Amino acid sequence: MIYDTIIIGGGLSGLVAGVKLASAKKRVAIITSGQSALHFLSGSIGLLSAVDGEPVSDPIASLEKLPENHPYNKIGAGRISSMAGEAADILKAAGIVVDGNAGETRYRLTPLGAWEPTWLVMDGIASCPHPSKCPWRKATVVNFHGYLDFFPEYVADGLREAGIEAECHEVKLPELVRLRKSCSEMRAASIAKILRGEVLRKLAIELNALGGDSEVLLLPAVIGLKSMQETEELQAMVKKTIRYVPVIPMSVAGVRAQSMLRNYFEKLGGTYFLGDSVSRGNFSDGRLESVHTANLGETVLEADDFILATGSFFSQGLVAKPDAIVEPVFGLDVDQTAERTERYDKNFFAPQRYMRFGVETDKEFRVSRGGKTVANLRAIGSILSGADPLKEGSGAGIALLSAVCVARKLITLN
Amino acid sequence: MELQVKNISPNNFEQCIKCTICTVYCPVLSVNPDYPGPKQAGPDGERYRLKDPEFYDKALKMCLNCKRCEVACPSGVKIGDIIQTARIRYDHHRPGLRDVILASTDEMGSIATKMAPVVNTMLSLKPVKVIMDKTIGVDCHRTFPAYAGRTFESWMKHKAPDQTVYPHKVSYFHGCYVNYNYPALGKDFVKLMNAIGYGVELLDKERCCGVAKISNKLISQATRDAELNIRSIRAAVAKGQPVIGTSSTCIFTMRDEYPHVLGVDNADVRDSIYLASKFVHELVDEGKVKLVFRPDFHRRVTYHTPCHMQRMGWAIHSVELLRMIPGLELVPIESACCGIAGTYGFKKENYATSQAIGKELFDSILNASVDEVVTDCETCKWQIEMSTGVPVVNPVSILAEALDVEATRKANGL
């Protein structure tokens, strides 16, 4: 089968690149082995929230402090702003409504009640321009009886620190209590599957009955697994404003984003191979000509261009072996320290060097193999080297912007 | 050594990183909280069971063996295989009369076809259904597929001389359904293959693929059948003939369940076992054969991806073939389990779960307002027809119907 572009990896970065290419009428296939780390996305997307341990208030102005081989530097500070706008538009086109812009840090509540800086926040997730400028005077934090992955008192404490009055309430719905039959399964996604239709109406009645003088109800983000339909329905039935606080994963907002991006990609004519993995690539003259997959056997998948978006250690885009970190699909060159002992800092909370490891790329995100650049294979997302997504709060931002950057390049090339 | 025995299983449970993504996609867990879910039933439970078989939980029999957990797993853990092998190894409950009857598709079929009119009438009578429900526990809502008066094998015997004239040959694994219930599909397969220049032969000997026996724990019979089938397949492959089936579940079972669950080695012939839609699509894709369609064929359909088709990753072949038919309008729907899972949904205790699982799919089929549903699995067909009233056909039958046989023969130089 012949495509214009084949993307290996179907998470945030692969899907956004796929959507942009498919929107430009390219024939695109995404090959992905299993579901992605998007399932852990808590409903907000960071661009850059800290550099060298110092918090950042204007991400664009702080780009110059990043190391030279950082993905943002390859994109170029001058282009970040427009690409950030385009990335947000792609999410919106897929139906994922987001708030925020690149020149301005927003703050969102974490599951433990801390205010964390971020860039884009998905619709309904509790956030504000700054904790000191929160629009609410008083909030009610509501949990479901028996649900243990949400910590209302921590959230209430976080609100109080920001000068907001907070009270906690519990709602008991028999349909949810039933979930506790299996001790480990009263979890965000299982709750979301039940909170629909009639059960949602019952919830609305309970919420309206809470009364009190708070302006906002803060609920765990466990509603709306496939679309925003349920959260919209609930808001229409409840008098007070509802905002959601992320919980311990599985993240419902993340599953929803995955599902909406994939559906939109397929609607644009893209082909999504779920549960398959590239078994080998055929290289010739410094180009990747075609790939084989585990499921398709001898069926060859050919393309003009390939994008590697297989993620970092979690998604096995990178694999740590005793003597080296390897890229398992094509055996690409990996940016890493020679000595195993230099990978880690013994202080667990210190920046860890291995977090910056990833495939080596040139200024156009082209990878190399045995020291030679592969002309039509580009890497995007968390497999890229040079960033410490955890310390910088940049993981999702790099995924989005490198995807837009590479997709733009491929559209102008052909 | 002793320690290792208790820590390593043939299926890779130790690769599980406890991310819980599988639990989001388990169709059983979504409707039945009594089921512990794929993570707990699979890799988590396996760790305990290896220490002490007493930890075996009989709730594992609620697993549909749909393998959607495996498709979703980002770490490539064979969760479904772990659960099925645990049932075989640790559940010492013997299958009852009903389970033996439901699983013995070959034995029942060969008797029933001899007196098809009587059997079909009996099985469709309300009182008979009620008696079967009350005595052996076959749910009275179910409609049994009608038996044919003449087996496909006996029809093929008369056709055998015609098949020698073609330049290429394939062996057809017809399966129980085509042989005893629905020879029309087998005839469509022969019509399609002949039109593109392939003669069809039967295997020396063919037994049921064993999927029903595996799920009903008739393991020694299933293994005997599997060994016989693999011997026949080897003989066909030795003659240079690929082995092709029209049921995704039969093909999945022979390719993957034989080695993973029954321990029957098929490594030497696995790549020669095809589903018809994959075989034909690859030929067309490589330009080796051409299909010419009738201009007067018009149909609005949707494609339902059976769970085992999803696991094999081959839905693309059926969908691409359908897209080649000019008069066919293909309405996409989201892949979801129909809930029947072979004999599972026929059992009284599973009927409600089965229908609850399928509801999402039934609703999207009804919303698509199509003339027909196309799918590669016969049990999905029974379930969808019973639950939606929309007729369901195999892609081979659609192709055979839409094909301009004379023009296709000519285009392929016959």
Side-chain angles (χ1 to χ4, degrees):
Chain A
M1 284 177 265
I2 301 171
Y3 298 91
D4 294 321
T5 307
I6 291 175
I7 300 169
I8 306 160
L12 181 59
S13 179
L15 277 166
V16 166
V19 163
K20 179 157 169 61
L21 289 163
S23 309
K25 306 279 178 228
K26 300 277 179 194
R27 223 173 114 75
V28 190
I30 294 178
I31 304 163
T32 181
S33 55
Q35 295 287 359
S36 77
L38 246 181
H39 290 62
F40 296 83
L41 186 87
S42 57
S44 69
I45 290 170
L47 187 64
L48 186 67
S49 47
V51 179
D52 296 332
E54 294 297 317
V56 157
S57 58
D58 182 346
I60 305 265
S62 309
L63 291 170
E64 58 185 32
K65 295 184 215 152
L66 293 170
E68 196 189 341
N69 70 335
H70 194 283
Y72 285 154
N73 275 330
K74 291 183 181 173
I75 294 168
R79 295 198 295 170
I80 294 270
S81 197
S82 87
M83 287 197 185
E86 187 175 348
D89 290 342
I90 292 173
L91 296 180
K92 282 174 196 160
I96 304 164
V97 181
V98 286
D99 255 348
N101 69 69
E104 192 177 87
T105 297
R106 275 188 87 78
Y107 289 79
R108 56 111 184 173
L109 271 172
T110 69
L112 296 182
W115 290 94
E116 274 218 338
T118 189
W119 162 37
L120 298 174
V121 181
M122 290 184 192
D123 200 23
I125 299 285
S127 75
C128 60
H130 193 270
S132 65
K133 293 179 212 149
C134 215
W136 318 310
R137 189 186 45 77
K138 185 173 180 187
T140 305
V141 187
V142 184
N143 193 20
F144 299 107
H145 177 74
Y147 181 47
L148 304 178
D149 287 349
F150 181 59
F151 314 101
E153 288 297 343
Y154 284 176
V155 174
D157 278 347
L159 294 169
R160 286 175 197 131
E161 271 174 37
I164 302 159
E165 249 187 281
E167 56 181 20
C168 297
H169 276 288
E170 201 174 70
V171 167
K172 194 169 185 175
L173 295 169
E175 290 83 357
L176 292 185
V177 173
R178 193 172 155 258
L179 274 181
R180 297 204 75 203
K181 272 175 135 177
S182 178
C183 62
S184 61
E185 295 307 337
M186 187 172 186
R187 305 181 47 120
S190 349
I191 296 176
K193 288 177 188 172
I194 291 175
L195 288 179
R196 314 159 63 168
E198 192 49 44
V199 186
L200 206 61
R201 271 187 283 283
K202 280 192 198 170
L203 172 61
I205 293 167
E206 295 278 341
L207 292 177
N208 282 331
L210 286 176
D213 58 350
S214 63
E215 303 111 306
V216 64
L217 300 174
L218 293 177
L219 264 63
V222 296
I223 304 178
L225 196 60
K226 293 214 167 142
S227 73
M228 300 296 291
Q229 190 194 330
E230 284 86 9
T231 50
E232 283 162 12
E233 277 175 23
L234 185 65
Q235 185 64 79
M237 292 185 285
V238 172
K239 293 185 209 104
K240 285 184 186 174
T241 304
I242 302 172
R243 287 289 177 268
Y244 296 92
V245 180
V247 298
I248 302 299
M250 231 10 64
S251 157
V252 165
V255 176
R256 180 169 69 220
Q258 167 84 37
S259 161
M260 289 169 87
L261 279 168
R262 179 191 166 174
N263 289 344
Y264 186 54
F265 171 68
E266 290 184 314
K267 197 175 148 199
L268 291 169
T271 304
Y272 195 82
F273 293 94
L274 177 63
D276 202 355
S277 54
V278 170
S279 50
R280 67 175 200 273
N282 303 310
F283 289 87
S284 142
D285 289 338
R287 290 176 67 84
L288 178 59
E289 301 289 338
S290 60
V291 293
H292 286 271
T293 76
N295 284 343
L296 296 176
E298 287 310 300
T299 304
V300 188
L301 300 177
E302 296 169 58
D304 295 333
D305 289 283
F306 292 83
I307 297 175
L308 189 67
T310 44
S312 182
F313 297 99
F314 168 78
S315 309
Q316 297 179 26
L318 296 175
V319 175
K321 303 263 178 173
D323 53 339
I325 309 287
V326 300
E327 183 285 301
V329 181
F330 301 116
L332 303 177
D333 298 339
V334 174
D335 218 346
Q336 59 188 305
T337 50
E339 291 299 319
R340 183 183 165 88
T341 49
E342 289 172 13
R343 290 181 194 170
Y344 322 98
D345 190 306
K346 280 180 184 162
N347 175 2
F348 180 78
F349 295 102
Q352 298 288 343
R353 266 218 178 129
Y354 70 85
M355 291 299 292
R356 292 189 183 276
F357 295 173
V359 293
E360 268 181 48
T361 54
D362 67 5
K363 287 229 175 289
E364 292 182 7
F365 293 109
R366 286 182 300 201
V367 300
S368 64
R369 196 162 170 266
K372 287 187 187 123
T373 301
V374 185
N376 66 338
L377 174 57
R378 288 168 170 80
I380 57 173
S382 56
I383 196 173
L384 293 169
S385 67
D388 184 340
L390 202 61
K391 296 288 175 190
E392 297 168 357
S394 61
I398 292 171
L400 281 179
L401 298 194
S402 58
V404 171
C405 180
V406 163
R408 266 193 198 178
K409 180 81 193 171
L410 295 185
I411 291 165
T412 51
L413 268 184
N414 301 299
Chain B
M1 189 59 210
E2 173 70 356
L3 197 69
Q4 286 307 308
V5 171
K6 291 184 175 175
N7 282 298
I8 292 173
S9 90
N11 292 314
N12 51 349
F13 83 95
E14 65 281 359
Q15 299 283 319
C16 171
I17 59 167
K18 315 294 166 206
C19 74
T20 71
I21 282 180
C22 56
T23 61
V24 179
Y25 296 94
C26 173
V28 183
L29 192 58
S30 299
V31 300
N32 189 351
D34 290 333
Y35 180 56
K39 171 174 164 281
Q40 214 188 320
D44 286 8
E46 190 73 356
R47 196 176 296 277
Y48 289 109
R49 293 188 290 264
L50 286 170
K51 306 264 188 292
D52 185 345
E54 281 296 305
F55 283 111
Y56 177 79
D57 180 351
K58 60 181 190 312
L60 262 62
K61 72 168 183 218
M62 291 182 206
C63 168
L64 294 177
N65 199 21
C66 70
K67 312 274 188 193
R68 283 183 188 262
C69 48
E70 295 186 3
V71 175
C73 178
S75 304
V77 179
K78 299 194 190 79
I79 308 163
D81 290 350
I82 293 172
I83 296 170
Q84 290 313 307
T85 46
R87 287 187 60 215
I88 293 170
R89 194 174 310 146
Y90 303 113
D91 183 353
H92 301 299
H93 174 80
R94 292 185 147 208
L97 174 66
R98 174 202 61 189
D99 294 1
V100 174
I101 291 174
L102 286 176
S104 304
T105 45
D106 253 331
E107 294 77 0
M108 298 308 288
S110 51
I111 301 166
T113 41
K114 295 198 175 74
M115 33 189 196
V118 182
V119 176
N120 292 339
T121 314
M122 289 289 288
L123 286 176
S124 62
L125 292 176
K126 190 97 194 281
V128 175
K129 285 187 172 188
V130 171
I131 290 167
M132 291 207 307
D133 187 303
K134 297 276 181 269
T135 54
I136 59 174
V138 172
D139 197 276
C140 61
H141 299 87
R142 288 283 164 206
T143 312
F144 273 86
Y147 286 101
R150 181 183 180 192
T151 64
F152 177 72
E153 280 184 4
S154 92
W155 179 82
M156 262 313 270
K157 269 184 199 140
H158 297 274
K159 287 279 167 194
D162 310 350
Q163 300 302 313
T164 55
V165 302
Y166 295 94
H168 312 283
K169 299 262 178 346
V170 296
S171 285
Y172 180 39
F173 184 93
H174 49 67
C176 305
Y177 176 63
V178 164
N179 199 32
Y180 302 117
N181 303 100
Y182 199 61
L185 172 56
K187 293 173 191 173
D188 287 338
F189 174 72
V190 174
K191 176 181 170 188
L192 172 65
M193 296 310 288
N194 287 175
I196 57 172
Y198 282 76
V200 178
E201 290 184 8
L202 297 182
L203 292 168
D204 295 343
K205 275 183 185 157
E206 174 184 327
R207 298 283 296 163
C208 169
C209 71
V211 68
K213 290 193 171 96
I214 293 171
S215 56
N216 289 287
K217 292 210 315 106
L218 296 160
I219 297 305
S220 55
Q221 291 100 310
T223 309
R224 264 201 314 276
D225 290 353
E227 281 164 349
L228 181 141
N229 285 334
I230 288 297
R231 270 200 303 279
S232 301
I233 290 170
R234 274 198 189 106
V237 173
K239 284 192 284 182
Q241 297 182 7
V243 177
I244 301 174
T246 41
S247 157
S248 50
T249 286
C250 297
I251 297 303
F252 169 74
T253 302
M254 294 195 295
R255 284 172 55 95
D256 293 338
E257 301 283 82
Y258 281 8
H260 295 162
V261 177
L262 295 179
V264 173
D265 183 26
N266 65 359
D268 55 328
V269 292
R270 182 174 178 271
D271 287 347
S272 303
I273 305 172
Y274 284 88
L275 190 66
S277 55
K278 178 177 172 66
F279 186 79
V280 175
H281 177 240
E282 280 185 359
L283 288 175
V284 178
D285 189 51
E286 290 163 17
K288 290 178 182 160
V289 307
K290 290 188 177 62
L291 300 175
V292 185
F293 296 100
R294 284 166 29 203
D296 60 338
F297 180 87
H298 297 288
R299 194 96 19 113
R300 182 179 156 95
V301 304
T302 186
Y303 181 76
H304 160 64
T305 309
C307 296
H308 292 159
M309 194 72 172
Q310 175 98 50
R311 179 70 183 93
M312 288 193 290
W314 289 356
I316 181 81
H317 297 296
S318 297
V319 168
E320 289 292 316
L321 278 176
L322 292 174
R323 283 191 183 141
M324 287 175 194
I325 306 174
L328 186 135
E329 187 190 349
L330 187 65
V331 186
I333 53 166
E334 201 163 336
S335 165
C337 177
C338 76
I340 185 105
T343 59
Y344 182 98
F346 279 85
K347 298 174 185 174
K348 190 177 166 63
E349 67 273 24
N350 296 335
Y351 181 78
T353 301
S354 179
Q355 296 311 102
I357 290 171
K359 188 175 181 305
E360 189 188 334
L361 175 71
F362 308 148
D363 288 348
S364 49
I365 287 173
L366 291 170
N367 285 336
S369 46
V370 289
D371 307 321
E372 282 172 346
V373 175
V374 186
T375 196
D376 287 89
C377 171
E378 60 269 16
T379 55
C380 295
K381 171 183 158 78
W382 307 335
Q383 171 76 334
I384 294 168
E385 286 183 341
M386 184 197 88
S387 310
T388 67
V390 181
V392 181
V393 294
N394 190 290
V396 165
S397 297
I398 284 257
L399 286 170
E401 189 187 343
L403 208 63
D404 182 331
V405 175
E406 278 318 304
T408 301
R409 287 174 63 95
K410 234 181 246 162
N412 291 292
L414 295 171

